[in-house]
Amino acid sequence: MTSLVMADHDGANLSPATLNAVTAALAFGDGIDVLVAGDACRAVAEAAAAVAGIARVRLAEDAAYDHLLAEAVAPLVVSLAPDYGAILFPATTTGKNLAPRVAALLDVAQISDVTEIVTPDTFVRPIYAGNAMATVQSSDAIKVMTIRGTAFPAAGGGGSAAIEPVAAAE
């Protein structure tokens, strides 16, 4: 199943948490795409294209995506969702803002703070303020999850993914 990782960035630099989400996406196999949304963020897309394991970088440049507000970016992610079996967000402020909105629009459950991917439909996540770990299973066609960065190593460099422009969602 192909996975989509939502890139977290500041407009110029790729967030390190995105590299952890890429490593988590490797557990799904079949290729990883990264979505870079923003305004004038080609440098971020180029940085993502250089990450090992990335098959394709999907670049959505529009002023509406400048601050990665969930109200603007979620419809874009949802428009791309049918191509993917899993959509991963770094468990950052941006990812935790976007993931629930995307999950709701897709009418699927969101799986928060994943610390381990056991199988493509079984995940480990903390509960009770991190005092216990729960193994959860999802039968949703598209898995939407936030990835706890400290649980996965950062993906390395050496990639050469193609950058593909994506039209803004309406």
Side-chain angles (χ1 to χ4, degrees), residues 17-135:
T18 302
L19 302 177
N20 304 104
V22 168
T23 299
L26 290 170
F28 291 100
D30 291 343
I32 302 167
D33 289 352
V34 171
L35 173 60
V36 175
D39 187 28
C41 57
R42 178 112 186 143
V44 176
E46 290 170 356
V51 175
I54 304 298
R56 171 175 62 166
V57 175
R58 303 188 80 179
L59 174 61
E61 288 187 294
D62 191 285
Y65 306 140
D66 188 26
H67 298 289
L68 293 176
L69 297 176
E71 295 81 359
V73 178
L76 171 67
V77 177
V78 169
S79 73
L80 301 173
D83 295 339
Y84 301 100
I87 303 174
L88 294 82
F89 298 84
T92 60
T93 303
T94 301
K96 288 181 178 187
N97 189 26
L98 270 168
R101 192 173 298 259
V102 169
L105 291 170
L106 292 172
D107 194 25
V108 300
Q110 177 202 327
I111 305 160
S112 298
D113 288 327
V114 171
T115 58
E116 181 183 350
I117 299 171
V118 180
T119 66
D121 67 349
T122 306
F123 313 96
V124 176
R125 62 174 302 273
I127 58 172
Y128 301 120
N131 291 314
M133 302 304 274
T135 300

Side-chain angles (χ1 to χ4, degrees), residues 99 103-104 106-112 137-138 140 142-145:
L106 292 172
D107 194 25
V108 300
Q110 177 202 327
I111 305 160
S112 298
Q137 192 168 28
S138 173
D140 291 327
I142 301 173
K143 314 302 188 253
V144 175
M145 63 191 72

